[in-house]
Amino acid sequence: MPIPYQRAMDIARRLAGTDAVGKLRSILLPVTPEERPTAPPVPRGDGDTGTRARRTFLEDRVGPLPHLFGEAEPVPSDALAGNVENHVGMAQLPVGLAGPLRVNGLHARGDFYAPLATTEGALVASYTRGSRIVTLAGGASAITTVEHVQRAPGFKFETLSEAIQFAAWAATQFDRLKEIAATRTRHGELLDLRLQFQANLVYLILDFHTADAAGQNMVTLCSTAVCEHLVAHSPVEPEWWVIESNMSGDKKATSLSFFETRGRHVTAEVLLPRALVRERLRTTPERMADYWRMSFVGAAQTGSIGFSGHVANAITALFIACGQDVACVSESAVAMLRMEATAGGELYASLTLPSLLVGSVGGGTRLPTARECLRILGCQGEGGAAKLAEVTAALALAGEISIAGAICSGEFARAHAQLGRPVGAGAAKSGGTGDADRG
């Protein structure tokens, strides 16, 4: 997204607080297994024996996970206040572990294991394969830059003249509105106010920095206070107003999701050596790049907003496991994937998520299994949101590489036949995990 120069200066100042601006070159460089050993692979194995091995593996790394493993008492209804109404029970989805995934990010650095909640066979295996390939290449560089969430109140006036008067006056009130918003949150901040009018309708787009929260409730409460102040002091009284005019891009894929940022703007990239592509994906960088161009044209013909293969798979599975607002997959999965064969015969792959709405505090992250899954990632609590964004982008990129490789090598259908069907319906009964997780 194009960033106004004042916002770019604000981002630079915030990044400088990480003591990383001068170190970006070294921070984002690949770190190969030869330079630093990778974390151990996820234990393989089917059935209860394999499950017990993976649980022991996780407990040795991060400590007890009783809720995720189903060993804790059920969550009492009183503890769910603020998360659900008319509570009757808990939905159960299997959670698999993908990784290790090496990330060389501004906030996320190291080897990560991703808990993925899904009912789609072959998905966890594919992300594990992609993660392994990215890790062998030295890891994915990743950086979170823009971080803000919008609310877009709307005001109705009798005439166009009144609407313009209100908009012109509101534009002069930003400093006061910033003070008003600060009375409703200890962590958020009003960053900007943009105005759009359509005849006698005025739309305000309010941009908030929400710290480590996803911030949906925060921006609603702050925006309500801002609007109440505007209405009370406006020289022109609106006939009526609403807190959300459907112009913020909330829970929908829009051109705003692609061109602006609602949540966190994060990019990940990796350079895969030719030998690695041939050995692990059983194809070539040139064929991968050719496939990317063909699929890009296909997406353009269908009017796709953004372009990727199956980014929604990674984001949805991670969102469910980690207590994120799953409906925000709508804007979060808007993405731009690129794959290019370099002059040296390597494969360059990058993925940008312009509107990834994630948080490490508040909302569903308070639930026991979500806390434990965030702890597996090392992203629980304050300071975890930008880190979670970079891990998510790197994981989604690994999945794009894996699925594109499977399609180029002709293994896509075979992997789903082996892993995506129950035993007895034509699935393989051996202890292996098929081509989606080979290599």
Side-chain angles (χ1 to χ4, degrees), residues 205-230:
I205 301 179
L206 302 171
D207 295 322
F208 293 88
H209 181 57
T210 61
D212 285 298
Q216 299 276 56
N217 291 335
M218 181 192 300
V219 300
T220 298
L221 296 174
C222 292
S223 297
T224 298
V226 164
C227 291
E228 290 173 346
H229 176 82
L230 287 173

Side-chain angles (χ1 to χ4, degrees), residues 32-375:
T32 64
E34 289 75 21
E35 297 173 274
R36 187 181 74 215
T38 60
V42 176
R44 303 280 286 274
D46 298 328
D48 292 340
T49 300
T51 297
R52 284 195 297 270
R54 286 182 286 274
R55 288 180 176 179
T56 300
F57 173 78
L58 277 177
E59 288 180 326
D60 290 343
R61 296 183 65 84
V62 301
L65 301 166
H67 294 280
L68 182 62
F69 296 167
E71 298 166 349
E73 293 294 323
V75 180
S77 296
D78 292 345
L80 299 173
N83 292 112
V84 71
E85 298 77 44
N86 300 338
H87 175 243
V88 296
M90 304 292 280
Q92 290 186 312
L93 286 176
V95 176
L97 195 65
L101 169 66
R102 179 156 292 180
V103 183
N104 308 311
L106 183 60
H107 301 88
R109 293 190 59 76
D111 294 343
F112 296 85
Y113 298 91
L116 301 176
T118 182
T119 58
E120 181 184 347
L123 188 141
V124 176
S126 184
Y127 279 99
T128 294
R129 179 174 86 146
S131 296
R132 183 179 301 148
I133 292 167
V134 167
T135 299
L136 289 171
S141 300
I143 185 168
T144 302
T145 52
V146 181
E147 296 179 281
H148 58 206
V149 178
Q150 291 77 28
R151 189 55 73 206
F155 300 81
K156 166 67 166 58
F157 294 88
E158 184 176 355
T159 65
L160 169 63
S161 175
E162 290 185 349
I164 293 176
Q165 290 180 64
F166 173 80
W169 171 78
T172 69
Q173 302 299 302
F174 179 76
D175 290 341
R176 178 57 181 151
L177 299 180
K178 189 170 183 175
E179 295 174 355
I180 295 295
T183 66
R184 296 297 191 273
T185 176
R186 293 176 297 165
H187 305 289
E189 178 186 5
L190 179 62
L191 297 176
D192 205 353
L193 178 155
R194 290 173 286 162
L195 295 130
Q196 171 79 14
F197 66 88
Q198 167 50 243
N200 61 348
L201 301 177
V202 175
Y203 300 82
L204 299 186
I205 301 179
L206 302 171
D207 295 322
F208 293 88
H209 181 57
T210 61
D212 285 298
Q216 299 276 56
N217 291 335
M218 181 192 300
V219 300
T220 298
L221 296 174
C222 292
S223 297
T224 298
V226 164
C227 291
E228 290 173 346
H229 176 82
L230 287 173
V231 171
H233 296 85
S234 172
V236 185
E237 183 178 357
E239 292 184 351
W240 49 269
W241 65 277
V242 292
I243 189 60
E244 177 53 57
S245 63
N246 210 24
M247 201 171 179
S248 68
D250 188 2
K251 294 181 173 65
K252 55 189 69 69
T254 66
S255 58
L256 188 71
S257 309
F258 183 60
F259 201 64
E260 294 277 349
T261 289
R262 186 170 195 277
R264 305 177 200 274
H265 186 286
V266 57
T267 297
E269 68 173 5
V270 67
L271 189 65
L272 301 181
R274 185 178 193 85
L276 186 63
V277 174
R278 293 186 67 90
E279 177 188 354
R280 300 285 174 156
L281 294 172
R282 292 168 290 283
T283 184
T284 65
E286 291 78 14
R287 178 55 60 87
M288 296 274 283
D290 286 342
Y291 166 71
W292 176 81
R293 282 188 289 269
M294 173 179 279
S295 57
F296 189 95
V297 173
Q301 292 182 85
T302 63
S304 176
I305 299 175
F307 167 73
S308 69
H310 68 147
V311 162
N313 263 331
I315 294 177
T316 303
L318 203 62
F319 271 26
I320 294 172
C322 296
Q324 307 300 302
D325 188 336
V326 183
C328 290
V329 169
S330 299
E331 62 261 47
S332 296
V334 171
M336 176 52 70
L337 171 71
R338 289 172 52 203
M339 289 186 180
E340 302 171 3
T342 70
E346 301 165 308
L347 179 68
Y348 173 83
S350 70
L351 183 74
T352 296
L353 303 176
S355 294
L356 180 62
L357 200 68
V358 294
S360 58
V361 300
T365 68
R366 296 188 295 253
L367 297 178
T369 55
R371 291 200 307 268
E372 292 179 356
C373 286
L374 286 170
R375 181 151 57 89

